[in-house]
Amino acid sequence: GSQQAQPAAKVLKVGAEATFPPFEFQEEKSKDYTGFDVDLMKAIGKQMGMEVQIVNTGFDGLIPALEGSQIDVIASAMTITDERSKKVNFSKPYYKSGLSIVVKSDNNTIKSFKDLEGKRLAVQIGTTGAEEAKKIKDAKVREFNSASEAYLELKAGGTDAVVNDLPVNEYYLAQGGNKDAKLVGEVLNAEEYGIAVAKKNTELAGKINKALDDIKQNGEYAKIYEKWFGK
Ligand code: GLN
């Protein structure tokens, strides 16, 4: 029979700030992008017949990159907020999250968000954690380009606490951070992550929502969730 050439799959450019495990990060050796969001986008891409390409971008540069059409979507543990919704189209929520506090293991004074008043705080720039930290009375907030730099600052004693997404804090501690740091206090603000598409790109937004529904129905979403968060 005759061999028919398959058209090359279209590429979906996915912006992500890839130092945010377990959502998006690079394998130590291969430097391949991996994580919950990466697997999720691959599954969504497969459903749409598209190949996914991760474009590693600073978190505060993601929305500008989307507006400038350098990327097609953002999948970067990005919380759906009213502020961001003015600039982008969010998909349906795909993950429930929240903010929490990490301090040094020997810190016995910080036990809640209330105790952060007047303290030195480290956060990632452009995040909901940064926004929340700035609302705390007299807190001295320093913004880092990545969450990992904020954890390093805590380790070095240059800050009293890190305010960041709960699942990322938990992952950091589980990966060895718990040798000298711990989680304290309540989890703040139920937050939900969404996949962002440019305002003008309503067709793509619809396709992504459809693909999300599909992978929830066919069990693919549950598999990916289990892989990264299953006990
Ligand atoms: N969920 C947080 C936010 O949207 C942090 C995301 C991140 O640092 N990748 O601001």
Side-chain angles (χ1 to χ4, degrees):
S2 65
Q3 202 88 7
Q4 243 177 319
Q6 289 291 118
K10 283 213 185 113
V11 173
L12 186 68
K13 285 191 196 155
V14 177
E17 191 284 300
T19 61
F20 209 62
F23 292 96
E24 38 271 327
F25 59 108
Q26 287 175 279
E27 303 268 16
E28 215 160 289
K29 284 206 182 114
S30 67
K31 301 291 172 208
D32 287 343
Y33 293 110
T34 186
F36 178 82
D37 287 347
V38 176
D39 285 349
L40 185 76
M41 285 316 301
K42 281 183 184 163
I44 286 173
K46 192 173 166 197
Q47 210 63 37
M48 292 166 44
M50 292 179 88
E51 197 180 297
V52 163
Q53 184 195 330
I54 303 294
V55 182
N56 195 358
T57 308
F59 193 75
D60 57 343
L62 285 167
I63 291 179
L66 192 66
E67 290 174 323
S69 301
Q70 285 107 304
I71 53 176
D72 303 310
V73 306
I74 300 168
S76 197
M78 185 174 272
T79 302
I80 300 170
T81 66
D82 291 343
E83 186 77 27
R84 290 172 182 158
S85 297
K86 287 178 196 154
K87 298 182 184 164
V88 304
N89 260 323
F90 279 109
S91 69
K92 299 174 185 179
Y94 69 86
Y95 186 91
K96 281 192 205 308
S97 192
L99 293 174
S100 68
I101 308 165
V102 177
V103 296
K104 279 276 192 72
S105 304
D106 58 4
N107 182 314
N108 294 312
T109 54
I110 299 173
K111 295 190 176 75
S112 74
F113 274 88
K114 182 86 184 121
D115 298 331
L116 295 178
E117 289 183 4
K119 295 290 192 293
R120 299 170 304 165
L121 308 178
V123 297
Q124 183 181 3
I125 194 163
T127 61
T128 49
E131 234 171 87
E132 198 56 43
K134 287 178 196 168
K135 286 188 209 152
I136 297 166
K137 195 170 162 281
D138 297 329
K140 291 172 266 310
V141 182
R142 282 171 62 213
E143 299 180 84
F144 293 85
N145 281 325
S146 67
S148 48
E149 286 172 61
Y151 296 131
L152 275 177
E153 191 67 6
L154 181 71
K155 209 181 171 73
T159 191
D160 300 310
V162 172
V163 177
N164 191 29
D165 293 22
L166 174 69
V168 176
N169 282 340
E170 287 178 329
Y171 192 85
Y172 167 73
L173 295 171
Q175 293 299 114
N178 58 8
K179 281 197 285 287
D180 51 21
K182 64 183 178 186
L183 203 67
V184 290
E186 70 278 30
V187 175
L188 211 68
N189 288 346
E191 295 190 15
E192 291 182 310
Y193 298 162
I195 298 162
V197 173
K199 274 280 183 216
K200 54 179 187 262
N201 221 341
T202 47
E203 197 191 325
L204 183 58
K207 282 185 186 166
I208 288 190
N209 273 333
K210 167 81 171 64
L212 251 180
D213 285 345
D214 290 345
I215 64 168
K216 282 194 174 169
Q217 263 153 37
N218 71 16
E220 197 59 34
Y221 179 94
K223 251 192 240 164
I224 297 168
Y225 192 94
E226 178 71 23
K227 173 178 167 188
W228 292 101
F229 303 105
K231 307 259 143 70

